Amino acid sequence: MVTGIFYVLLLQNVNYDYIIIGQGIAGTMLSWFLKKAGQEVLVYDDAQSNSSSKVAAGIINPVSGRKFETAWLYDTIFPFAEKTYHEMEEALGIVCFHERLIHNIWSSQQMEDAFNESLKTNPWLLEPAFVKGANIQLNALLPAWRKKLNVKEERFDATQITITSTHIEYQNIKAKAVIFCEGAQSPANPYWRKLKFLPNKGEALIIHAPELQTNNIIKKGNITIVPMGEDLYWAGATFSWDYTDALPTESAKESIAQSLKNIPHKIIDHIAAIRPSGPDRRPLVGMHPHQPGIGIFNGMGSKGCSLAPWTADQFVKHLLEATPLKPEIDIKRYFNALR
Ligand SMILES: Cc1cc2nc3c(=O)[nH]c(=O)nc-3n(C[C@H](O)[C@H](O)[C@H](O)COP(=O)(O)OP(=O)(O)OC[C@H]3O[C@@H](n4cnc5c(N)ncnc54)[C@H](O)[C@@H]3O)c2cc1C
């Protein structure tokens, strides 16, 4: 006997509604909202240990730049992200959202002055040197959500897709569309390689620092220290456009350790990954202009934890209800490159 949703899918001649490639924070959020909307989803993820989402500290920082200005669309995306993470915590029986103050240790008078100027009007800042932030414990969220998904733990080969007018087909699996959430690997994807990506490398240390004793995020210059529990802290990150591979380097380790020299600590791990960024630092979202059934959800840059929930919700409304995407995130802005 064929039941409910499966029967409907058979009628449409597909096994799944959507195939998602990649389960970093992008694929996680997209699959969450698609499943919430009743869609049948299959995820391929090859479980690379150095994906961006596995290396990130998950900081959500409301301000950016030297003037402590509120980040792009923050008043919309943060409340949405907070609500989404709490819903996922409840559904999955985990804790992953940690509200935290970001404590700035000034490295120049200029920065302190800029903070005090912004403090006059910016509700996300608090005297004397705090920002109201948060961090997402991705190593709790991603594995817990993965258990609820249909996941194939293997590499998806985009050259093997067959596109028809009604569906796409991959190794005898049919779906309405395949959406690539491949992070920094999208530049190698034949459907998307003409897009301009500006990936950059980041490295961080995991340290044991029992004397630090704080629940705040500490920010000093380019280094941010994030509590992980049990006297462990994430300390990073470096930022480089110029790199040959995604492996940890001695020079980055030394530079982070130098910034930590006043904090007694032992280095437990040294991690590195490539941030998936686009040229305008906005998400890359939408369906390919010439290849039906092929989509992308990428470009989270250094803000995946704050951007991914709202952006995924927007994409799902676009896919299922034809709601237009905001021009700043719509892949249409790069259609010339995809001709
Ligand atoms: C050092 C560092 C610190 C960071 N700190 C923060 C932070 O504090 N806050 C924040 O918001 N962001 C931070 N970021 C950025 C954040 O990590 C990214 O925005 C986010 O993780 C990107 O998620 P993603 O899902 O797009 O990509 P990824 O996390 O890279 O996920 C892509 C997934 O797809 C899989 N995959 C790719 N291609 C295929 C294929 N063909 N077949 C099968 N599987 C495939 C990969 O294995 C991977 O699991 C940081 C990044 C770095 C490097």
Side-chain angles (χ1 to χ4, degrees), residues 288-309:
H288 199 288
H290 310 300
Q291 306 288 354
I294 303 287
I296 190 166
F297 186 64
N298 204 320
M300 299 297 142
S302 57
K303 292 183 179 292
C305 291
S306 47
L307 285 173

Short mmCIF file of all heavy atoms in Angstrom, two decimals, residues 288-309:
data_model
loop_
_atom_site.label_atom_id
_atom_site.label_comp_id
_atom_site.label_asym_id
_atom_site.label_seq_id
_atom_site.Cartn_x
_atom_site.Cartn_y
_atom_site.Cartn_z
N HIS A 288 19.10 28.66 -10.91
CA HIS A 288 19.93 28.98 -12.08
C HIS A 288 19.05 29.53 -13.21
O HIS A 288 17.96 29.00 -13.46
CB HIS A 288 20.64 27.70 -12.54
CG HIS A 288 21.82 27.97 -13.41
ND1 HIS A 288 21.70 28.40 -14.70
CD2 HIS A 288 23.14 27.88 -13.16
CE1 HIS A 288 22.90 28.55 -15.23
NE2 HIS A 288 23.79 28.26 -14.30
N PRO A 289 19.51 30.58 -13.90
CA PRO A 289 18.66 31.17 -14.95
C PRO A 289 18.46 30.27 -16.16
O PRO A 289 17.46 30.40 -16.87
CB PRO A 289 19.41 32.44 -15.34
CG PRO A 289 20.83 32.22 -14.92
CD PRO A 289 20.76 31.32 -13.71
N HIS A 290 19.40 29.34 -16.41
CA HIS A 290 19.31 28.54 -17.64
C HIS A 290 19.20 27.04 -17.39
O HIS A 290 19.04 26.26 -18.34
CB HIS A 290 20.54 28.79 -18.53
CG HIS A 290 20.80 30.24 -18.74
ND1 HIS A 290 19.87 31.07 -19.34
CD2 HIS A 290 21.84 31.02 -18.39
CE1 HIS A 290 20.35 32.30 -19.36
NE2 HIS A 290 21.53 32.30 -18.79
N GLN A 291 19.34 26.61 -16.14
CA GLN A 291 19.33 25.18 -15.84
C GLN A 291 18.17 24.91 -14.87
O GLN A 291 18.31 25.09 -13.67
CB GLN A 291 20.65 24.75 -15.19
CG GLN A 291 21.88 25.11 -15.98
CD GLN A 291 22.03 24.26 -17.23
OE1 GLN A 291 21.27 23.31 -17.45
NE2 GLN A 291 22.99 24.59 -18.06
N PRO A 292 17.01 24.47 -15.40
CA PRO A 292 15.87 24.27 -14.51
C PRO A 292 16.19 23.22 -13.44
O PRO A 292 16.87 22.24 -13.70
CB PRO A 292 14.77 23.76 -15.45
CG PRO A 292 15.39 23.54 -16.77
CD PRO A 292 16.75 24.13 -16.79
N GLY A 293 15.72 23.49 -12.23
CA GLY A 293 15.91 22.51 -11.15
C GLY A 293 17.26 22.58 -10.48
O GLY A 293 17.58 21.72 -9.65
N ILE A 294 18.07 23.60 -10.78
CA ILE A 294 19.38 23.73 -10.15
C ILE A 294 19.41 25.03 -9.35
O ILE A 294 19.21 26.11 -9.93
CB ILE A 294 20.51 23.77 -11.21
CG1 ILE A 294 20.47 22.53 -12.10
CG2 ILE A 294 21.88 23.95 -10.53
CD1 ILE A 294 20.93 21.25 -11.47
N GLY A 295 19.67 24.94 -8.05
CA GLY A 295 19.66 26.14 -7.21
C GLY A 295 20.92 26.28 -6.38
O GLY A 295 21.73 25.34 -6.28
N ILE A 296 21.06 27.44 -5.75
CA ILE A 296 22.23 27.68 -4.89
C ILE A 296 21.79 28.41 -3.62
O ILE A 296 20.87 29.24 -3.64
CB ILE A 296 23.32 28.50 -5.64
CG1 ILE A 296 24.63 28.53 -4.81
CG2 ILE A 296 22.85 29.92 -5.97
CD1 ILE A 296 25.84 29.01 -5.60
N PHE A 297 22.46 28.05 -2.51
CA PHE A 297 22.24 28.75 -1.24
C PHE A 297 23.61 28.85 -0.60
O PHE A 297 24.11 27.89 -0.01
CB PHE A 297 21.25 27.95 -0.37
CG PHE A 297 20.85 28.66 0.89
CD1 PHE A 297 20.15 29.86 0.83
CD2 PHE A 297 21.18 28.16 2.14
CE1 PHE A 297 19.77 30.53 1.99
CE2 PHE A 297 20.81 28.83 3.30
CZ PHE A 297 20.11 30.02 3.22
N ASN A 298 24.25 29.99 -0.75
CA ASN A 298 25.66 30.09 -0.39
C ASN A 298 25.99 31.54 -0.03
O ASN A 298 25.10 32.37 0.14
CB ASN A 298 26.51 29.59 -1.57
CG ASN A 298 27.89 29.11 -1.12
OD1 ASN A 298 28.52 29.71 -0.26
ND2 ASN A 298 28.35 28.02 -1.71
N GLY A 299 27.29 31.83 0.08
CA GLY A 299 27.75 33.21 0.29
C GLY A 299 27.51 33.74 1.69
O GLY A 299 27.34 34.94 1.89
N MET A 300 27.52 32.84 2.70
CA MET A 300 27.26 33.29 4.08
C MET A 300 28.45 34.04 4.68
O MET A 300 28.33 34.65 5.73
CB MET A 300 26.90 32.10 4.98
CG MET A 300 25.65 31.35 4.56
SD MET A 300 24.18 32.38 4.64
CE MET A 300 23.30 31.83 3.20
N GLY A 301 29.62 33.95 4.02
CA GLY A 301 30.79 34.71 4.46
C GLY A 301 31.13 34.43 5.91
O GLY A 301 31.18 33.28 6.34
N SER A 302 31.34 35.50 6.68
CA SER A 302 31.74 35.31 8.08
C SER A 302 30.53 35.44 9.03
O SER A 302 30.69 35.57 10.23
CB SER A 302 32.81 36.33 8.46
OG SER A 302 32.30 37.62 8.21
N LYS A 303 29.31 35.39 8.45
CA LYS A 303 28.13 35.60 9.29
C LYS A 303 27.07 34.52 9.10
O LYS A 303 25.87 34.80 9.15
CB LYS A 303 27.52 36.98 8.96
CG LYS A 303 28.40 38.14 9.39
CD LYS A 303 27.73 39.46 9.12
CE LYS A 303 28.56 40.63 9.56
NZ LYS A 303 28.74 40.74 11.00
N GLY A 304 27.50 33.31 8.85
CA GLY A 304 26.55 32.24 8.58
C GLY A 304 25.49 32.06 9.67
O GLY A 304 24.33 31.81 9.37
N CYS A 305 25.89 32.22 10.93
CA CYS A 305 24.94 31.92 12.01
C CYS A 305 23.83 32.95 12.12
O CYS A 305 22.71 32.61 12.50
CB CYS A 305 25.69 31.80 13.34
SG CYS A 305 26.70 30.33 13.35
N SER A 306 24.13 34.20 11.79
CA SER A 306 23.05 35.19 11.84
C SER A 306 22.25 35.22 10.53
O SER A 306 21.04 35.39 10.54
CB SER A 306 23.59 36.58 12.19
OG SER A 306 24.72 36.89 11.43
N LEU A 307 22.94 35.03 9.40
CA LEU A 307 22.26 35.18 8.10
C LEU A 307 21.44 33.95 7.68
O LEU A 307 20.38 34.09 7.06
CB LEU A 307 23.30 35.42 7.00
CG LEU A 307 23.95 36.80 6.92
CD1 LEU A 307 25.07 36.80 5.89
CD2 LEU A 307 22.91 37.86 6.55
N ALA A 308 21.94 32.75 7.98
CA ALA A 308 21.35 31.55 7.36
C ALA A 308 19.87 31.33 7.70
O ALA A 308 19.09 30.97 6.81
CB ALA A 308 22.18 30.31 7.70
N PRO A 309 19.42 31.52 8.96
CA PRO A 309 18.00 31.21 9.24
C PRO A 309 17.03 32.07 8.41
O PRO A 309 16.15 31.53 7.73
CB PRO A 309 17.86 31.50 10.75
CG PRO A 309 19.25 31.34 11.29
CD PRO A 309 20.17 31.84 10.21
#
